[in-house]
Amino acid sequence: MFQTHNPPEYLTSDFITGNVVHCFSTRRGGVSTGYLSSLNLGIHRGDDWSNVYENYRRLGEAVGFLPEQTVFTRQTHTDAVARVGAADCGVGLFREVEPERDGIYTNEPGVALVCFSADCTPILLHDPVRHAVAAIHAGWRGTALGIALRCVEAMHRDFGTEPADVQAAIGPCIGPCCFETDRNVPEAMLAALGSEAEPFLHPAQGDAAGEKFFPDLKQLNALWLRRAGVRRIDVSCDCTRCQPERFWSHRVTGQARGSLAAVIMLRQ
Ligand SMILES: [Zn+2]
């Protein structure tokens, strides 16, 4: 179950418990103006840096992290995941992110992992036994590449994370109500996941039957997590495109939009 908090408005999952803070942001409760009104958390969206900083300060004050503790992804629709640590705090907000990585993970407390979305799928992971967290951006390409499974594998390799211990939350993203695609997307999912993907590809009816599909990115990522051995998976029911006044949606506004952020941090 996801809970809504105010202000600024953000969501949490009650599947993620223990000595950890996390959130999925909305676009409400920030200081940005115009088409970025108001809780824009992206630094490359045309916003004033001071607005973005203030938005992180407000969100962090409510959730329990500092802007100075954040570490950003640099998202390019890959399945690249990278281990980060305290030395990386401030990367993104205060200095450029160098390597491309759509997922980041750490076992160090006080490191606030941040991934971005505006229709793509944000995924947060917490291992309460080995004390590790991850933030993952999964667009349809990253979903087809299985980035969620790659990240669980990396946490197992580096920290000894047992997948059965992992708490997972799949946040608001474009839903199968709105994510109309051509054949290439379901074909990529079937190539990667086989027939188990079929229930989540939703072929269009009527004239577009066989040509258009409505894939369920949240459930496809949940399938990858189950394949990785994760059992506790919370899935948001919110569609970003259905609620453009509440979430940033690339399909609604194109590039003239802010960024949502999903954040997770082990408490110190
Ligand atoms: Zn929708």
Side-chain angles (χ1 to χ4, degrees), residues 173-179 239-243:
C173 76
I174 193 166
C177 41
C178 293
F179 185 45
C239 167
T240 46
R241 189 171 189 259
C242 281
Q243 302 174 72

Side-chain angles (χ1 to χ4, degrees), residues 32-48:
S32 302
T33 59
Y35 70 86
L36 295 165
S37 177
S38 63
L39 192 67
N40 165 47
L41 296 166
I43 50 168
H44 297 300
R45 308 306 317 170
D47 210 346
D48 288 343

Side-chain angles (χ1 to χ4, degrees), residues 76-239:
T76 52
H77 295 276
T78 67
D79 62 349
V81 297
R83 180 177 178 173
V84 298
D88 298 298
C89 285
V91 165
L93 194 51
F94 299 94
R95 54 192 197 274
E96 278 300 310
V97 184
E98 294 296 338
E100 298 177 351
R101 67 265 184 111
D102 281 78
I104 48 179
Y105 60 99
T106 190
N107 65 346
E108 295 183 38
V111 181
L113 308 181
V114 182
C115 68
F116 304 97
S117 61
D119 287 342
C120 290
T121 312
I123 305 167
L124 298 178
L125 306 178
H126 175 223
D127 173 358
V129 177
R130 304 290 176 147
H131 303 292
V133 288
I136 303 162
H137 159 260
W140 76 261
R141 289 183 181 82
T143 302
L145 291 166
I147 187 171
L149 176 141
R150 308 266 171 268
C151 198
V152 175
E153 288 177 342
M155 292 167 72
H156 177 74
R157 181 191 66 219
D158 288 359
F159 308 137
T161 289
E162 293 297 338
D165 294 329
V166 170
Q167 305 163 346
I170 299 176
C173 76
I174 193 166
C177 41
C178 293
F179 185 45
E180 184 185 80
T181 76
D182 294 325
R183 302 186 61 86
N184 60 324
V185 175
E187 283 171 1
M189 300 304 169
L190 286 169
L193 286 159
S195 60
E196 273 191 285
E198 264 172 33
F200 311 121
L201 300 178
H202 303 296
Q205 309 296 312
D207 290 349
E211 296 303 318
K212 297 292 184 182
F213 293 81
F214 293 86
D216 187 333
L217 292 174
K218 286 182 267 202
Q219 290 301 333
L220 290 161
N221 279 291
L223 177 56
W224 278 116
L225 287 170
R226 288 197 296 276
R227 286 233 177 142
V230 178
R231 311 258 188 282
R232 292 171 53 79
I233 306 168
D234 201 4
V235 179
S236 165
C237 58
D238 285 313
C239 167

